[in-house]
Amino acid sequence: MFFYWVNLLVFLYQYTDEKIKLKIRRLKEKINLVIDLEKNELEINALEREITLLHAKTVNEIIEKYKIDKSKIHLIGFHGHTIFHSFKEKKTKQIGDGRLLSHLTRLHVVNNFRENDIKNGGQGAPLVPIFHKLLQLKLKLKNRLLFANIGGISNLTYLGQDDEMVSFDSGPGNFLVDKILQLKSKNKFQFDEDGIIAFTGSVDKNILESYLSDPYYESLPPKSLDVNDFNLSSLRSLSLEDSIATLSELTSQTIVNALNFFNSRPNQIILCGGGRKNKYIFQRIKELSNILTKNIDYYKVDGDFIESQAFAYLAIRSFLKKPISFPETTGVLKPSMGGDYIEFK
């Protein structure tokens, strides 16, 4: 494996307009099958333009705020927003127009990171493991280390002896908790801040077991999930608090149960992604696993920017024609390059 040292310079968090968030959510609810991408093409294209304009604004704000010499920016890694991902149908769709972003920022862009992996027999996800490996080297952390990235979906990266790197999606992350909270609160709350609501509810063991009985959790890696793989209908009769507690427990248990797929038990778990801030999930992972568990922020790494840093790094590897996905991470037939390079002219 080839690694390139990374110096992280500046960060900027740009809040997404609530109207755009709502548009993304409504669009995702319309797209359950590949054919739905074609049916909603006009809406997808319109929203893609809005998202791209927002990213261009953010890039230009970073340049202005930190007085960066634009000539020293070689390229932008632009992942976009996933609205559909299905390995079974060999289709993934991230909205974000790389050519428009290149035109608006007058910079080179790398995007479309997942498609080549799927074309070569991979699942198209997860792609962040190679960046987790870089973080391990940079932070000088010992092997038998597990990164648990709790985003919409939870994915795990296990770093063992002799460059062993295994990764897969373990189950739901924040998505189900956020969605049921938004539905039951009629959008009064968008997420369970600090896991406070989960602590006030009771886990419905029957519903939890019905979720855990899904064959996915017993299937061997590599494997990946999409948010559309889950159904919330069984929670209709539960209170908001019990729904949140049950789904938060599901996220925690599926992460810990997935440790059985590794050759050796991890010595340490590092939580990344927005879900790391959920104190209920943090506490339950620590209790259920009985393994030293820390948030990535403990190492003076801002966990809110891991995903963006990862795709900046993947853009560099793509430009240098180095692999970004591997048989042990996505199931691709051989280490695979990915990402389309869009040159600004």
Side-chain angles (χ1 to χ4, degrees):
M1 294 182 188
F2 297 87
F3 293 96
Y4 300 89
W5 216 241
V6 171
N7 290 315
L8 305 172
L9 302 177
V10 297
F11 315 103
L12 179 65
Y13 188 92
Q14 182 78 40
Y15 284 94
T16 304
D17 184 277
E18 289 300 324
K19 291 180 181 179
I20 294 181
K21 282 185 181 180
L22 187 59
K23 287 179 183 179
I24 293 172
R25 194 185 310 158
R26 287 175 175 171
L27 178 61
K28 285 173 71 72
E29 289 172 354
K30 294 179 183 179
I31 300 173
N32 297 299
L33 301 169
V34 170
I35 194 171
D36 295 329
L37 293 171
E38 186 176 339
K39 287 180 180 178
N40 297 279
E41 185 177 4
L42 291 177
E43 186 176 347
I44 290 171
N45 291 343
L47 185 55
E48 181 170 63
R49 179 176 176 81
E50 282 192 71
I51 288 173
T52 306
L53 290 172
L54 178 63
H55 280 78
K57 177 184 175 185
T58 302
V59 170
N60 290 326
E61 282 186 12
I62 289 174
I63 291 170
E64 182 178 348
K65 180 176 180 179
Y66 296 103
K67 296 179 173 53
I68 298 171
D69 183 349
K70 198 170 183 177
S71 67
K72 293 183 178 180
I73 301 176
H74 294 166
L75 52 83
I76 297 171
F78 184 33
H79 177 266
H81 194 97
T82 300
I83 58 169
F84 183 80
H85 181 85
S86 174
F87 166 66
K88 293 176 183 176
E89 298 186 74
K90 298 191 181 300
K91 182 67 177 178
T92 186
K93 177 66 176 177
Q94 288 76 42
I95 51 175
D97 188 333
R99 293 196 178 279
L100 178 59
L101 183 64
S102 177
H103 173 75
L104 293 171
T105 60
R106 305 178 69 84
L107 292 166
H108 309 316
V109 171
V110 176
N111 72 341
N112 194 24
F113 290 92
R114 301 183 186 275
E115 190 171 335
N116 193 53
D117 181 83
I118 291 178
K119 285 181 179 178
N120 286 285
Q123 305 240 345
L127 294 184
V128 293
I130 192 66
F131 184 68
H132 289 153
K133 180 64 177 176
L134 180 72
L135 281 176
Q136 180 197 23
L137 296 174
K138 194 172 180 67
L139 298 173
K140 299 179 180 178
L141 299 173
K142 294 180 180 179
N143 285 327
R144 293 175 59 188
L145 175 68
L146 184 81
F147 283 93
N149 180 44
I150 310 174
I153 299 294
S154 295
N155 57 73
L156 310 183
T157 300
Y158 175 75
L159 303 170
Q161 304 292 337
D162 302 320
D163 284 333
E164 180 186 12
M165 182 171 64
V166 181
S167 185
F168 56 89
D169 289 346
S170 60
N174 304 316
F175 174 75
L176 292 184
V177 174
D178 293 350
K179 187 171 182 179
I180 199 70
L181 180 56
Q182 291 157 9
L183 286 171
K184 287 185 177 284
S185 73
K186 296 181 179 179
N187 284 318
K188 182 179 179 181
F189 301 105
Q190 297 301 306
F191 65 98
D192 183 13
E193 188 170 0
D194 292 332
I196 291 172
I197 299 174
F199 279 116
T200 65
S202 298
V203 174
D204 187 301
K205 293 183 179 179
N206 290 329
I207 293 177
L208 176 64
E209 286 304 318
S210 71
Y211 275 115
L212 291 173
S213 66
D214 190 301
Y216 177 84
Y217 300 117
E218 296 297 325
S219 63
L220 295 174
K223 53 184 180 176
S224 62
L225 287 164
D226 183 64
V227 293
N228 291 328
D229 293 330
F230 300 96
N231 192 301
L232 294 171
S233 59
S234 61
L235 298 159
R236 286 174 183 166
S237 61
L238 289 189
S239 68
L240 183 151
E241 292 80 7
D242 291 354
S243 298
I244 299 302
T246 301
L247 292 176
S248 299
E249 186 69 14
L250 176 65
T251 293
S252 307
Q253 287 202 24
T254 49
I255 288 173
V256 175
N257 291 346
L259 303 184
N260 295 322
F261 288 113
F262 304 121
N263 291 327
S264 300
R265 198 164 178 79
N267 290 323
Q268 182 178 351
I269 299 173
I270 296 179
L271 302 186
C272 305
R276 78 189 192 284
K277 297 178 182 179
N278 186 308
K279 293 178 181 177
Y280 179 94
I281 292 174
F282 181 97
Q283 180 176 306
R284 290 298 289 149
I285 290 173
K286 188 175 181 179
E287 290 173 349
L288 291 166
S289 68
N290 197 28
I291 293 172
L292 176 66
T293 302
K294 294 179 180 177
N295 283 340
I296 186 68
D297 309 75
Y298 173 85
Y299 293 101
K300 295 182 172 54
V301 175
D302 192 326
D304 289 334
F305 294 95
I306 294 294
E307 197 85 359
S308 55
Q309 292 167 11
F311 280 94
Y313 179 60
L314 293 179
I316 295 168
R317 291 186 67 92
S318 297
F319 177 74
L320 296 172
K321 301 191 182 306
K322 301 300 180 185
I324 65 171
S325 61
F326 305 85
E328 302 82 8
T329 60
T330 67
V332 69
L333 296 177
K334 61 181 181 179
S336 178
M337 293 182 291
D340 295 336
Y341 178 65
I342 300 169
E343 184 178 6
F344 174 73
K345 297 179 180 179

